[in-house]
């Protein structure tokens, strides 16, 4: 009887330890910060950035930083099977009205797949998904995108900025360039570090 009565306590202790380990593991994931802004200065690996909100920030690039140019492209480049990101605004009928569209290179297919709130403007959303169908409509291009948990109908007005990512190098990183860093890591000492920087080429502001 003594042996069987100890099982609930042992099980509770084991579950408690597992929960503690899970909490500690999640706590070890450093927080990330999305940064939109303009490069003001470059000092070796450290970027001085004026954020979209007007805040002065310093971000250190990692030694192996990946630099991508954000380059204008055409709506006609969005084809069935393309993997795209749609910055959108929800419409009353459940569709998303595109504010901007970015086309991922093939080697980034599947990146951050899904539908989520976004911070491009109040109430905006982001859908990273595969184009299942695209049809010209009265208000622009009607696109059906599918991701692992669902699908969205997107209307892309004719004047919507459409861009793509092109692998580049640090020559893109210079004062005056507009950038977006999707996930700068906030270190324990409060500094920010980035392993990828997306730079608008030819003076464009990354629209996503």
């Amino acid at each position: 009887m003594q042996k069987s009565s100890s099982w609930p306590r042992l099980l509770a202790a084991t579950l408690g330890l597992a929960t503690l380990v899970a909490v500690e593991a999640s706590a070890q994931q450093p927080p990330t910060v999305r940064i939109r802004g303009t490069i003001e200065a470059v000092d070796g690996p450290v970027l001085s950035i004026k954020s979209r909100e007007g805040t002065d920030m310093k971000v250190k690039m990692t030694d192996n930083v990946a630099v991508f140019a954000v380059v204008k492209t055409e709506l006609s480049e969005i084809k069935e099977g393309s993997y795209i990101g749609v910055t959108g605004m929800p419409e009353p009928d459940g569709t998303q009205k595109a504010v901007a569209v970015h086309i991922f290179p093939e080697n980034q297919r599947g990146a951050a797949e899904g539908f989520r709130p976004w911070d491009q403007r109040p109430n905006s959303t982001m859908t990273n998904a595969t184009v299942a169908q695209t049809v010209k409509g009265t208000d622009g291009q009607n696109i059906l995108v599918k991701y692992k948990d669902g699908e969205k109908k997107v209307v892309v007005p004719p004047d919507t900025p459409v861009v793509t990512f092109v692998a580049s190098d640090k020559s893109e990183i210079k004062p005056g360039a507009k950038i977006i860093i999707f996930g700068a890591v906030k270190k324990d000492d409060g500094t920010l570090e980035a392993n990828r920087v997306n730079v608008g080429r030819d003076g464009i502001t990354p629209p996503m």
Side-chain angles (χ1 to χ4, degrees), residues 173-184:
I173 296 176
K174 50 198 172 188
K178 310 288 187 182
I179 66 166
I180 181 168
I181 299 172
F182 291 119

Side-chain angles (χ1 to χ4, degrees), residues 70-150:
V70 179
V71 180
K72 288 181 181 179
T73 188
E74 302 298 325
L75 184 59
S76 59
E77 291 300 310
I78 300 173
K79 300 176 171 66
E80 290 183 15
S82 297
Y83 188 73
I84 66 173
V86 178
T87 308
M89 295 297 294
E91 295 288 282
D93 62 359
T95 62
Q96 297 291 314
K97 184 176 181 179
V99 174
V101 179
H102 56 276
I103 305 172
F104 285 97
E106 188 57 34
N107 63 1
Q108 292 177 29
R109 178 177 293 276
E113 184 177 7
F115 174 78
R116 62 189 64 83
W118 197 241
D119 62 349
Q120 200 262 11
R121 61 178 69 177
N123 302 317
S124 62
T125 64
M126 177 61 73
T127 311
N128 287 357
T130 301
V131 177
Q133 186 181 51
T134 176
V135 179
K136 190 168 181 61
T138 54
D139 299 324
Q141 201 76 3
N142 294 326
I143 298 176
L144 176 66
V145 295
K146 293 190 176 184
Y147 49 96
K148 56 191 173 188
D149 298 322

Side-chain angles (χ1 to χ4, degrees), residues 16-204:
L17 179 61
T19 302
L20 182 62
V21 169
V23 168
E24 286 184 350
S26 65
Q28 289 169 1
Q29 296 294 324
T32 59
V33 180
R34 190 176 301 129
I35 301 170
R36 294 180 174 84
T38 304
I39 297 175
E40 302 231 300
V42 181
D43 182 9
V46 178
L47 305 181
S48 296
I49 299 169
K50 177 76 77 175
S51 76
R52 178 179 67 173
E53 293 76 24
T55 305
D56 292 318
M57 310 180 79
K58 289 190 182 296
V59 179
K60 182 182 179 183
M61 298 180 290
T62 59
D63 293 339
N64 62 343
V65 66
V67 179
F68 284 87
V70 179
V71 180
K72 288 181 181 179
T73 188
E74 302 298 325
L75 184 59
S76 59
E77 291 300 310
I78 300 173
K79 300 176 171 66
E80 290 183 15
S82 297
Y83 188 73
I84 66 173
V86 178
T87 308
M89 295 297 294
E91 295 288 282
D93 62 359
T95 62
Q96 297 291 314
K97 184 176 181 179
V99 174
V101 179
H102 56 276
I103 305 172
F104 285 97
E106 188 57 34
N107 63 1
Q108 292 177 29
R109 178 177 293 276
E113 184 177 7
F115 174 78
R116 62 189 64 83
W118 197 241
D119 62 349
Q120 200 262 11
R121 61 178 69 177
N123 302 317
S124 62
T125 64
M126 177 61 73
T127 311
N128 287 357
T130 301
V131 177
Q133 186 181 51
T134 176
V135 179
K136 190 168 181 61
T138 54
D139 299 324
Q141 201 76 3
N142 294 326
I143 298 176
L144 176 66
V145 295
K146 293 190 176 184
Y147 49 96
K148 56 191 173 188
D149 298 322
E151 63 183 40
K152 292 291 178 188
K153 292 180 179 177
V154 179
V155 177
V156 185
D159 58 349
T160 303
V162 180
V163 298
T164 189
F165 296 114
V166 176
S168 189
D169 55 44
K170 290 181 181 177
S171 65
E172 303 271 0
I173 296 176
K174 50 198 172 188
K178 310 288 187 182
I179 66 166
I180 181 168
I181 299 172
F182 291 119
V185 175
K186 192 167 188 179
K187 312 294 273 186
D188 290 341
D189 61 1
T191 60
L192 293 166
E193 187 176 77
N195 62 9
R196 172 172 171 160
V197 180
N198 307 283
V199 188
R201 182 176 285 177
D202 299 328
I204 74 168

